[in-house]
């Protein structure tokens, strides 16, 4: 299969404008006759459904949640990037484009990323118009902050709840379209298959999660905005129900899965505290603006801390290893996520981890508290303030900046982060990989589109902070509403798709058979236990660092686990009722296949880049070593029959505007 | 339906009626208390009896008193309707109930209907004790030098009624009920009217607490005074 | 720690429910939901049906949790969702009663899972600003006072969980509705539709069968985001103004 990215010709900065100006349109009277299914109601799905509704298409939107407002976009904390240059600090569309390409370790498509940077500016305008209460300066204008991996302040934010506010904005727009009858909303409906007719995506099969009814839904085109697959690791910062099923069902119907091994491990999460743990909680990247990361330099101290004989605050300054500041003096604690995560792993692997499991490092605000305290004392005109007074003042400043995060940390761990440093460890956070899409966000199946985290398009091998919200909304508000016209303009003569066609019947039967299969295995082990075991394999062998031997081993283990699943899983309850275990069974079954593909992809990519770190490919100092000569391509995997090996299709990446350099943050 | 009817039957409209009638009744309480406190004067009931005459003969005051009856009935009926509707909004009850609130008395806030019913019963008995006896002429007549007309001696009836310890006990309990009713009701009326402001609300809440304690306490003082002190 | 759980079990909306008692071995570092996970694993191991409860983000922001713990929606800790509640706040040997959010407008789907679609319909009736994609002017075109933006934000932090309805003795949805009306009506962008918005949203709220607000403030006390009843006062005010001072009528 020859993969055509369909990148328009012309100057990079003009491509999108020119393309938009010349692409095919669908007249309003025809839009009314064309149906579009949008699966997922997160930032990408909700914004796409709302905008397509506004344009006049007949939209059906599906979510497995009880309300579109619950999608996991809601949990994004830090902010959203936009090249507004409101701070007059030299930001521009080009700079945002360049930072994103570089941050992604040169594994994304130039034209897509540039379009993203262009759209970023209108996203902010749109969100403000929707009433999103962004943070503001005293003069009433929008405030910004900075994030890892960049040197400008371009991140717009709404306290630590930016994702929530943006999602509610999109949800409200969607609600308006629902009330106007342009969008029909299907809550508590999970998509379990894509229906292809004559090679085109023409509908989906869903399960009504309340009644268990299996329904057919037809449309002229299908858009998937179903998020990422980080939950393949079992423990991640994703919501419990986030899953790969929609995208994976599309893969099973012939869509290509691109770069599945590119997963982002976020450096600042609350560490695992026990076997029972169900999910990990992120502490916003913004904390690294003021927090210093360290571990004890002496093994004796480590031992004493683990045994509870010493506290973090007992360790003398000279016995602490501020390893990020030591290894990366230029960026220090603000190195990009992949770099910070790997450094934490190195510190813990060398035996310096500080909690009982040995898998945690300190994030310390003591020096920030003293620094802010001194400056507050100075501005208050205090003469010779005592250390305690300074500390108190400093704590107030820190509270104003990060209060909600500190509170969250205290709630979860039961420890006071003002008094002793936070303990953090990296955790799976985001997946850069996803369904392969061309410039139109269309997969290789005509009429099947993927938006947001569900596609692979914009972040290459590593995503920069505050870029996920930007991409989700760019795709949904400003890209898909145009590019879907390229496909639909050829469908204006296609009548309403009849869902009584044999393809629908076959897909429905396949879905029903599969569900019945899960119930009928009647084994002994819970779905959860399989998921947990899969997660452990993935984290151990396909997590922060990978090697050939481990990956080969993992592949075999996953295959065995999958076989065990199909012979010994126990799914209680019945088909025709509200049955969360049955839902989970389908999702875990898909993860058990995706996991293997991730391992295969990681094996194929014999280089280290971004979130993908192969131990065989590193510099003598232990830094990632990219191989641009052999691996400047997108790995798009075809895998419809899991009994055979996946087939690799390569899309070569061409860089016409940026020069490929070694990423250095030293 | 007429827009005004729709307004008054909306959930907020219903509460508005409760709020406005409630505040009016608070005013009534003040006037009523001012008159009744004359019962504490050691003048053999002269001031009080003259006051009672004026209250029942001045056409303006009479008109206001009919308004008061109407508002009491409206407040009660609307309150009962609301209580029933609100109860119906949760058919399946909790097995554990707790009483956490912010800035209002939790017991009072949750038991407004119960407290209101107690007060309604009290009003009925209270009016039977005095208003009805006066209307139906069950009182003796009295002539004071300071006043041109002959007046009914209601004071005598008060004295007689408050000799019964059960009635006194009932009056005191009712006033405690009124106190709790006001403890929530007073400030709640302002909240319903949309008057919640960081600068003024603390004052309103303080005033409400004072009102809810002082007014019923002074009312209750009268039967206690007649029973134990006088 | 050993806990006795009294859990509400209900097969479906039309059937009645009853409490069942379970014993579970937990530890104090678990979140409340992780403790329920342990219970469910235990039930599955015994080939019994696990307790259905809704949850998703487990970091206190999605608003999916819908259970009442010992009489408190989201449990006894103030300003905390069920998923952020940890077992260290309970005692060894304690009996914990777990029920679903109860309100006629939130029918039970199964066990502790309820249907909160009424909230979606309230938003659909006017909880938005009518601006199509692409129509927006520059984000900085209208300055908004910092404190005002912050106050609007406080209202906008609502996670739509329904704890206010669950906590209210009247099962009133005023806190939820007023938070959304307040958020949008306070922003200059939302002012244009402010009058119609408050009329439509209150009308929809009433027609969903929620009780009326009687200022008990249990909603604010139990709200995991501690949204203030000041928003209710504001909406009352705006509703009066909309009905009495504008030419518009109090329902569609």
């Amino acid at each position: 299969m020859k993969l055509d990215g369909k990148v328009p010709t012309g100057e990079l900065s003009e491509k999108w404008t020119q393309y938009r100006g010349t692409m095919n349109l669908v007249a309003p009277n025809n839009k009314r006759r064309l149906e579009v299914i949008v699966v997922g109601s997160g930032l990408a799905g909700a914004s796409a459904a709302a905008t397509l509704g506004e344009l006049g298409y007949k939209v059906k939107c599906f979510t497995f949640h009880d309300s579109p407002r619950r999608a996991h976009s809601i949990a994004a904390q830090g902010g959203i990037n936009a090249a507004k240059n409101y701070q007059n600090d030299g930001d521009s569309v080009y700079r945002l484009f360049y930072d994103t390409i570089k941050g992604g370790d040169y594994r994304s498509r130039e034209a897509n990323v540039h379009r993203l940077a262009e759209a970023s500016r209108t996203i902010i305008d749109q969100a403000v118009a929707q009433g999103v209460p962004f943070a503001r300066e005293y003069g009433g204008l929008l405030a910004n902050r900075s994030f890892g991996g960049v040197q400008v302040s371009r991140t717009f934010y709404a306290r630590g709840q930016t994702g929530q506010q943006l999602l509610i904005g999109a949800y409200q727009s969607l609600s308006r379209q629902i009330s106007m009858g342009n969008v029909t909303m299907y809550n508590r409906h999970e998509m379990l298959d894509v229906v292809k007719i004559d090679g085109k995506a023409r509908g989906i099969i869903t399960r009504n999660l309340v009644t268990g009814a299996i329904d057919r839904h037809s449309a002229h085109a299908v858009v998937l905005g179903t998020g990422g697959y980080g939950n393949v690791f079992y423990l991640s910062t994703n919501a419990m129900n986030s899953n790969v099923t929609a995208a994976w069902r599309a893969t099973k119907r012939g869509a290509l899965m691109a770069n599945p091994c590119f997963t982002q491990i976020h450096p600042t999460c609350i560490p695992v505290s026990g076997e029972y743990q169900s999910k990990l909680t992120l502490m916003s990247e913004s904390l690294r603006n003021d927090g210093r990361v360290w571990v004890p330099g002496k093994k004796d101290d480590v031992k004493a801390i683990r045994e509870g004989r010493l506290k973090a605050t007992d360790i003398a300054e000279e016995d602490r290893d501020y390893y990020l500041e030591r290894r990366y003096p230029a960026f220090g604690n603000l190195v990009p996520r992949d770099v910070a995560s790997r450094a934490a792993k190195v510190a813990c692997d060398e035996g310096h981890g500080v909690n009982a499991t040995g898998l945690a490092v300190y994030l310390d605000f003591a020096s920030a508290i003293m620094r802010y305290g001194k400056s507050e004392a100075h501005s208050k005109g205090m003469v010779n303030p005592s250390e305690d007074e300074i500390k108190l003042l400093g704590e107030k400043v820190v509270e104003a900046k990060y209060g909600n995060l500190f509170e969250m940390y205290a709630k979860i761990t039961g420890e006071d982060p003002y008094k002793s440093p936070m303990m953090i460890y990296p955790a799976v956070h985001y997946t850069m990989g996803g369904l392969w899409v061309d410039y139109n966000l269309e997969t290789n199946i005509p009429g099947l589109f993927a938006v947001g985290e569900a596609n692979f398009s914009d972040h290459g091998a590593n995503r920069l902070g505050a870029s996920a919200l930007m991409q989700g909304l760019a795709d949904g508000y400003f890209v898909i509403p145009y590019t879907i016209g390229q496909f639909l303009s050829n469908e204006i003569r296609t009548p309403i798709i009849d869902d009584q066609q044999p393809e629908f019947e076959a897909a429905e039967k396949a879905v029903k058979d599969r569900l019945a299969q899960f119930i009928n295995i009647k084994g002994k082990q819970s779905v959860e236990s399989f998921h947990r075991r899969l997660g452990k394999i993935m984290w151990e062998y396909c997590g922060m660092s990978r090697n050939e031997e481990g990956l080969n081993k993992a592949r075999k283990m996953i295959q065995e686990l999958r076989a065990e699943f199909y012979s010994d899983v126990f799914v209680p309850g019945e088909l025709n009722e509200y049955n969360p275990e049955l839902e989970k069974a389908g999702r875990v079954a898909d993860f058990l296949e995706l996991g293997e593909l991730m391992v295969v992809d990681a094996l194929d990519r014999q280089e280290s880049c971004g979130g993908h770190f192969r131990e065989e490919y590193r510099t003598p100092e232990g830094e990632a070593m990219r191989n641009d000569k052999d691996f400047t391509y997108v790995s798009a995997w075809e895998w419809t029959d899991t009994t055979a090996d996946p087939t690799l299709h390569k899309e070569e990446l061409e860089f016409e505007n940026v020069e490929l350099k070694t990423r250095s943050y030293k | 339906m007429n827009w005004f009817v729709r307004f008054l039957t909306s959930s907020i409209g219903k509460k508005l009626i409760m709020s406005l009638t409630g505040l009016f009744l608070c005013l009534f309480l003040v006037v009523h208390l001012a008159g009744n406190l004359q019962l504490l004067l050691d003048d053999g009931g002269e001031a009080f009896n003259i006051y009672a005459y004026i209250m029942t003969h001045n056409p303006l005051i009479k008109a206001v008193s009919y308004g008061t009856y109407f508002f009491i009935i409206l407040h009660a009926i609307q309150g009962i309707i609301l209580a029933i509707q609100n109860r119906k909004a949760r058919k399946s009850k909790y097995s554990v109930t707790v009483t956490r609130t912010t800035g209002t008395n939790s017991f009072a806030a949750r038991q407004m209907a119960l407290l209101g019913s107690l007060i309604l019963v009290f009003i009925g008995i209270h009016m039977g004790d005095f208003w009805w006896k006066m209307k139906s002429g069950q009182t003796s007549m009295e002539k004071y030098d300071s006043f041109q007309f002959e007046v009914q001696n209601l004071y005598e009836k008060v004295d007689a009624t408050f000799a019964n310890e059960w009635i006194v006990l009932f009056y005191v309990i009712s006033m405690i009920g009124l106190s709790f009713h006001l403890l929530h009701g007073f400030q709640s009326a302002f909240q319903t009217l949309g008057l919640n402001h960081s600068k003024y609300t603390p004052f309103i809440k303080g005033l409400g607490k004072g009102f809810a304690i002082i007014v019923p306490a002074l009312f209750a003082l009268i039967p206690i005074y007649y029973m134990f002190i006088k | 720690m050993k806990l006795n759980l009294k859990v509400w079990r209900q097969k479906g909306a039309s059937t009645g429910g009853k409490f069942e008692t379970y014993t579970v071995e937990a530890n104090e570092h678990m979140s409340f939901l992780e403790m329920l996970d342990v219970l469910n694993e235990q039930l599955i191991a015994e080939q019994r049906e696990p307790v259905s409860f809704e949850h998703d983000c487990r970091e206190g922001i999605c608003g999916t949790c819908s259970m009442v713990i010992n009489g408190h929606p989201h449990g006894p800790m103030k300003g905390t969702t069920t998923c952020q509640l940890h077992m260290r706040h309970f005692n060894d040997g304690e009996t914990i009663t777990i029920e679903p959010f109860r309100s006629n407008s939130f029918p039970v789907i199964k066990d502790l899972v309820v249907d909160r679609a009424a909230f979606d319909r309230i938003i659909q009736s006017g909880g938005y600003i009518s601006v199509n994609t692409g129509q927006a002017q520059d984000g900085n075109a209208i300055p908004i006072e910092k404190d005002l933006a912050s106050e609007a934000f406080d209202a906008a932090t609502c996670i739509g969980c329904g704890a206010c309805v669950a906590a209210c003795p009247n099962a009133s949805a005023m806190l939820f509705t007023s938070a959304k009306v307040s958020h949008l009506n306070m922003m200059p962008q939302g002012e244009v539709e402010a009058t119609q918005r408050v009329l439509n949203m209150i009308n929809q709220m009433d027609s969903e069968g929620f009780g009326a607000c009687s200022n008990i403030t249990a909603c604010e006390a139990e709200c995991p985001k501690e949204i203030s009843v000041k928003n209710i006062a504001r909406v009352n005010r705006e509703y009066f103004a909309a009905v009495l001072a504008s030419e518009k009528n109090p329902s569609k």
Side-chain angles (χ1 to χ4, degrees):
Chain A
M1 195 186 309
K2 172 88 180 73
L3 288 179
D4 179 6
K6 294 189 184 153
V7 174
T9 52
E11 275 288 299
L12 179 67
S13 58
E14 293 301 316
K15 278 182 201 278
W16 178 233
T17 315
Q18 274 174 15
Y19 185 58
R20 242 183 344 177
T22 54
M23 67 173 47
N24 298 330
L25 297 175
V26 181
N29 58 330
N30 286 326
K31 282 192 182 120
R32 283 197 289 276
R33 291 206 295 266
L34 291 170
E35 294 188 304
V36 181
I37 283 173
V38 177
V39 186
S41 64
L43 280 181
S47 58
T51 308
L52 291 169
E54 288 162 10
L55 287 174
Y57 292 109
K58 279 174 76 178
V59 181
K60 303 174 192 173
C61 184
F62 295 80
T63 173
F64 63 74
H65 285 109
D66 69 323
S67 160
R69 68 181 296 152
R70 310 264 187 242
H72 196 53
S73 310
I74 205 152
Q77 298 171 352
I80 175 166
N81 288 331
K84 280 287 201 185
N85 194 30
Y86 282 158
Q87 304 305 320
N88 196 29
D89 55 2
D91 199 8
S92 65
V93 168
Y94 183 83
R95 205 178 282 277
L96 174 53
F97 153 77
Y98 181 80
D99 286 343
T100 309
I101 289 275
K102 178 190 172 197
D105 225 354
Y106 307 95
R107 291 293 175 266
S108 41
R109 219 185 262 145
E110 273 190 345
N112 283 56
V113 177
H114 198 276
R115 176 176 66 188
L116 173 67
E118 289 173 56
S120 71
R121 304 199 290 189
T122 37
I123 293 171
I124 300 302
D125 302 339
Q126 185 64 31
V128 168
Q130 288 168 350
V132 171
F134 281 120
R136 290 185 179 261
E137 306 288 359
Y138 282 105
L141 302 180
L142 293 160
N144 289 115
R145 61 184 171 203
S146 55
F147 252 64
V150 298
Q151 290 159 316
V152 291
S153 282
R154 64 159 76 102
T155 305
F156 294 78
Y157 62 99
R159 289 189 209 157
Q161 287 141 271
T162 319
Q164 182 201 23
Q165 295 308 316
L166 289 170
L167 180 65
I168 297 296
Y171 160 69
Q172 288 169 187
S173 292
L174 176 61
S175 295
R176 175 167 160 252
Q177 293 307 309
I178 296 169
S179 73
M180 293 166 82
N182 298 331
V183 177
T184 310
M185 190 70 217
Y186 296 84
N187 293 336
R188 295 189 192 272
H189 279 68
E190 180 169 22
M191 170 191 146
L192 294 177
D193 210 346
V194 182
V195 181
K196 263 166 69 178
I197 296 175
D198 301 331
K200 295 175 182 170
R202 291 301 197 190
I204 60 172
I205 306 292
T206 62
R207 179 168 181 270
N208 178 327
L209 299 183
V210 177
T211 65
I214 305 297
D215 301 317
R216 307 171 187 182
H217 301 277
S218 67
H220 293 85
V222 176
V223 180
L224 301 183
T226 50
Y229 49 83
N231 265 348
V232 68
F233 290 89
Y234 185 70
L235 284 180
S236 79
T237 65
N238 283 190
M240 298 301 287
N241 296 314
S242 298
N243 66 79
V244 75
T245 289
W248 193 252
R249 293 290 111 199
T251 309
K252 297 295 288 264
R253 293 280 174 193
L256 304 180
M257 183 58 79
N259 297 337
C261 81
F262 287 164
T263 45
Q264 177 163 82
I265 318 279
H266 198 291
T268 51
C269 300
I270 298 176
V272 178
S273 62
E275 266 299 300
Y276 52 81
Q277 191 135 358
S278 60
K279 88 151 263 161
L280 299 171
T281 304
L282 177 84
M283 291 277 104
S284 168
E285 178 158 316
S286 59
L287 289 173
R288 282 196 282 141
N289 275 309
D290 282 314
R292 297 176 72 194
V293 178
W294 65 276
V295 289
K298 290 185 186 160
K299 289 277 173 71
D300 287 347
D301 288 345
V302 174
K303 195 157 171 274
I305 284 176
R306 285 189 199 171
E307 288 167 3
R309 285 183 285 115
L310 278 182
K311 287 190 304 228
T313 42
D314 298 333
I315 309 294
E317 196 61 31
E318 61 271 18
D319 292 335
R320 299 177 176 192
D321 179 12
Y322 294 92
Y323 59 83
L324 285 178
E325 296 169 27
R326 173 172 58 80
R327 289 177 61 183
Y328 307 100
F331 278 68
N333 292 297
L334 273 175
V335 291
R337 292 175 176 176
D338 53 339
V339 179
S341 292
R342 264 197 303 280
K345 180 171 160 47
V346 169
C348 292
D349 287 351
E350 287 171 354
H352 294 274
V354 289
N355 69 356
T357 60
L359 295 175
V361 299
Y362 288 127
L363 179 63
D364 198 335
F365 293 86
S367 47
I369 287 174
M370 294 310 280
R371 188 177 74 241
Y372 286 127
K374 274 180 197 150
S375 117
E376 276 288 291
H378 180 76
S379 66
K380 284 197 157 76
M382 290 163 73
V383 189
N384 291 331
S386 73
E387 186 140 320
D388 285 344
E389 284 173 330
I390 293 177
K391 217 169 164 181
L392 207 67
L393 288 169
E395 280 176 8
K396 282 212 179 107
V397 177
V398 168
E399 191 188 343
K401 291 181 90 149
Y402 310 112
N404 60 337
L405 296 168
F406 275 50
E407 201 179 304
M408 182 153 85
Y409 182 87
K411 261 181 201 163
I412 293 170
T413 62
E415 284 170 20
D416 181 359
Y418 293 100
K419 303 289 170 236
S420 56
M422 286 184 181
M423 283 197 272
I424 53 158
Y425 198 67
V428 175
H429 179 53
Y430 185 89
T431 52
M432 282 72 72
L435 289 171
W436 181 88
V437 289
D438 63 17
Y439 191 72
N440 292 331
L441 303 182
E442 190 172 16
T443 66
N444 55 308
I445 298 176
L448 181 67
F449 296 78
V451 290
E453 193 180 349
N455 72 30
F456 87 105
S457 67
D458 297 344
H459 304 296
N462 175 54
R463 179 176 66 76
L464 288 180
S467 291
L469 300 180
M470 170 172 72
Q471 186 224 336
L473 289 178
D475 286 0
Y477 285 134
F478 297 109
V479 180
I480 193 83
Y482 294 105
T483 58
I484 203 169
Q486 285 291 70
F487 172 78
L488 289 175
S489 57
N490 292 318
E491 299 288 337
I492 52 174
R493 284 182 195 81
T494 313
I496 293 289
I497 309 294
D498 175 14
D499 68 6
Q500 297 304 310
Q501 298 179 72
E503 288 86 347
F504 273 98
E505 201 168 310
E508 183 186 315
K509 183 170 182 308
V511 165
K512 283 182 170 165
D513 290 350
R514 188 161 179 263
L515 293 170
Q517 184 190 5
F518 294 138
I519 295 261
N520 290 332
I521 294 169
K522 294 198 177 10
K524 292 221 155 40
Q525 303 176 61
S526 69
V527 177
E528 196 80 8
S529 67
F530 282 100
H531 193 183
R532 195 177 287 138
R533 282 162 69 191
L534 171 67
K536 277 197 177 137
I537 299 171
M538 296 304 294
W539 181 244
E540 182 71 24
Y541 301 107
C542 198
M544 270 191 284
S545 74
R546 300 131 184 213
N547 61 54
E548 190 177 347
E549 193 197 338
L551 288 166
N552 279 320
K553 194 171 155 194
R555 187 172 181 194
K556 207 162 155 282
M557 288 170 83
I558 296 169
Q559 286 168 344
E560 285 164 8
L561 187 64
R562 197 160 66 219
E564 194 181 328
F565 176 88
Y566 282 102
S567 65
D568 197 33
V569 76
F570 171 63
V571 180
E574 286 155 35
L575 289 170
N576 296 322
E577 62 170 353
Y578 183 84
N579 189 344
E581 287 296 313
L582 180 62
E583 296 166 25
K584 235 185 328 187
R587 296 169 192 166
V588 171
D590 290 336
F591 279 137
L592 282 164
E593 294 178 1
L594 168 81
E596 186 181 344
L597 186 64
M598 289 169 70
V599 168
V600 170
D601 185 40
L603 269 169
D604 170 75
R605 193 163 281 277
Q606 294 169 12
E607 62 162 349
S608 293
C609 67
H612 172 65
F613 187 78
R614 280 283 297 265
E615 288 160 12
E616 302 93 321
Y617 308 100
R618 55 178 159 187
T619 63
E621 305 94 70
E623 301 298 332
M625 204 162 70
R626 224 172 52 219
N627 179 349
D628 291 332
K629 191 165 83 49
D630 301 318
F631 291 97
T632 313
Y633 61 75
V634 176
S635 312
W637 295 92
E638 181 182 347
W639 204 27
T640 49
D641 173 14
T642 31
T643 58
D645 275 342
T647 316
L648 175 63
H649 304 274
K650 295 179 184 176
E651 182 201 346
E652 294 295 336
L653 289 168
E654 280 152 31
F655 290 89
E656 295 164 351
N657 297 275
V658 295
E659 184 195 343
L660 275 62
K661 290 188 201 155
T662 303
R663 261 190 335 155
S664 171
Y665 296 94
K666 283 192 183 283
Chain B
M1 229 193 302
N2 176 283
W3 68 270
F4 195 69
V5 178
R6 279 204 306 259
F7 166 53
L8 291 182
T9 51
S10 71
S11 64
I12 296 181
K14 284 179 203 154
K15 291 306 298 175
L16 177 69
I17 292 174
M18 294 305 285
S19 162
L20 292 176
T21 51
L23 283 176
F24 177 84
L25 294 175
C26 283
L27 257 177
F28 159 75
L29 283 178
V30 174
V31 176
H32 189 39
L33 178 66
N36 285 13
L37 283 178
Q38 297 174 81
L39 285 167
L40 299 179
L41 294 174
D42 195 19
D43 61 355
E46 181 177 341
F48 180 74
N49 282 341
I50 293 170
Y51 157 78
Y53 179 91
I54 295 168
M55 292 308 273
T56 44
H57 289 78
N58 181 316
L60 184 70
I61 292 176
K62 267 175 100 169
V64 173
S65 74
Y66 284 114
T68 309
Y69 303 145
F70 175 70
F71 285 138
I72 289 173
I73 291 165
L74 185 59
H75 191 83
I77 291 174
Q78 183 75 288
I80 290 165
I81 291 172
L82 270 168
I84 291 170
Q85 284 175 342
N86 287 344
R87 277 183 76 83
K88 270 196 195 154
R90 177 177 291 125
K91 287 209 179 93
S92 161
K93 306 286 177 216
Y94 288 114
S95 80
V96 183
T97 46
V98 290
T99 54
R100 194 188 273 163
T101 52
T102 55
T104 188
N105 182 291
S106 174
F107 166 74
R110 283 158 202 271
Q111 303 302 343
M112 284 304 270
L114 186 77
L115 295 165
S117 307
L118 171 68
I119 295 163
L120 190 64
V121 170
F122 168 78
I123 291 172
I125 290 176
H126 177 58
M127 287 180 76
D129 280 342
F130 303 114
W131 179 84
W132 173 248
K133 284 178 181 160
M134 207 169 155
K135 281 275 161 192
S136 56
Q138 296 179 38
T139 53
S140 60
M141 299 306 283
E142 199 76 49
K143 177 76 185 76
Y144 297 108
D145 297 339
S146 58
F147 196 63
Q148 63 189 110
F149 304 109
E150 194 177 37
V151 300
Q152 287 178 294
N153 192 348
L154 189 59
Y155 176 82
E156 200 178 68
K157 287 285 166 208
V158 172
D159 202 19
T161 309
F162 290 156
N164 181 333
E165 59 265 32
W166 291 109
I167 291 183
V168 171
L169 184 67
F170 175 67
Y171 269 61
V172 171
I173 289 172
S174 298
M175 285 308 106
I176 293 171
L178 175 65
S179 176
F180 275 101
H181 196 77
L182 289 169
L183 206 53
H184 175 68
F186 190 91
Q187 53 89 21
S188 172
F190 289 88
Q191 164 81 2
T192 297
L193 291 175
L195 303 174
N196 187 331
H197 192 283
S198 358
K199 284 180 184 161
Y200 308 114
T201 298
F203 170 73
I204 290 172
K205 286 193 171 171
L207 185 71
K209 262 184 203 159
F211 189 89
I213 293 166
I214 294 167
V215 171
L218 288 175
F219 272 122
L221 181 66
I222 295 165
I224 291 172
Y225 174 79
Y226 275 74
M227 180 104 251
F228 297 107
I229 300 167
K230 186 166 165 272
Chain C
M1 60 200 295
K2 213 177 127 198
L3 296 163
N4 303 309
L5 303 178
K6 237 180 98 189
V7 184
W8 183 261
R9 301 303 303 262
Q10 181 170 345
K11 195 83 183 150
S14 47
T15 64
K18 61 177 195 308
F19 282 101
E20 281 189 26
T21 311
Y22 308 96
T23 318
V24 68
E25 193 64 46
N27 92 37
E28 57 174 15
H29 297 298
M30 288 179 178
S31 73
F32 198 85
L33 297 183
E34 283 165 353
M35 185 274 294
L36 288 180
D37 289 341
V38 172
L39 169 68
N40 277 349
E41 284 294 290
Q42 204 173 295
L43 291 173
I44 292 169
E46 296 163 12
Q47 309 259 312
R48 290 159 74 190
E49 206 176 328
V51 177
S52 288
F53 63 92
E54 255 186 318
H55 61 95
D56 197 23
C57 77
R58 298 207 176 186
E59 45 190 272
I61 194 75
C62 72
T64 309
C65 320
S66 59
M67 60 185 90
V68 171
I69 302 162
N70 288 342
H72 295 281
H74 294 295
M77 296 293 290
K78 260 188 84 76
T80 306
T81 54
T82 303
C83 58
Q84 298 281 68
L85 174 67
H86 281 67
M87 297 316 293
R88 67 182 82 94
H89 303 296
F90 295 88
N91 301 319
D92 189 28
E94 191 174 336
T95 299
I96 304 175
T97 308
I98 309 171
E99 309 172 67
F101 282 5
R102 295 189 196 274
S103 155
N104 295 359
S105 310
F106 290 171
V108 170
I109 289 175
K110 191 174 180 182
D111 298 342
L112 305 171
V113 179
V114 298
D115 180 5
R116 287 164 286 190
F119 273 12
D120 280 337
R121 291 190 291 270
I122 291 175
I123 298 296
Q124 284 157 20
S125 70
Y128 48 74
I129 289 172
S130 299
V131 52
N132 281 359
T133 305
Q135 292 178 334
Q137 56 188 334
D138 186 82
N140 261 347
I142 306 172
I144 303 176
E145 197 203 346
K146 189 180 164 81
D147 291 345
L148 182 78
S150 176
E151 209 183 336
F153 184 94
D154 287 339
T157 55
C158 170
I159 56 175
C161 65
C164 43
V165 174
C168 178
N170 306 342
S172 162
M174 263 304 258
L175 192 66
F176 169 80
T177 309
S178 69
K180 186 43 67 192
V181 174
S182 291
H183 159 217
L184 294 174
N185 283 15
M186 262 190 273
M187 303 292 276
Q189 290 85 357
E191 225 177 277
V192 181
E193 296 168 277
T195 305
Q196 196 62 57
R197 176 178 301 118
V198 71
L199 292 174
N200 289 352
M201 289 182 74
I202 293 297
N203 180 55
Q204 184 65 34
M205 178 188 81
D206 284 353
S207 63
E208 292 289 349
F210 293 104
C213 171
S214 52
N215 304 327
I216 297 170
T217 67
C219 51
E220 179 183 313
E222 301 289 353
C223 172
K225 297 294 153 187
E226 303 182 83
I227 290 172
S228 167
V229 293
K230 271 181 99 166
N231 293 304
I232 296 180
R234 178 182 296 106
V235 163
N236 288 345
R237 216 153 61 213
E238 300 209 357
Y239 187 72
F240 298 144
V243 175
L244 301 172
S246 83
E247 299 274 348
K248 294 181 196 300
N249 282 329
S251 71
K252 273 183 202 170

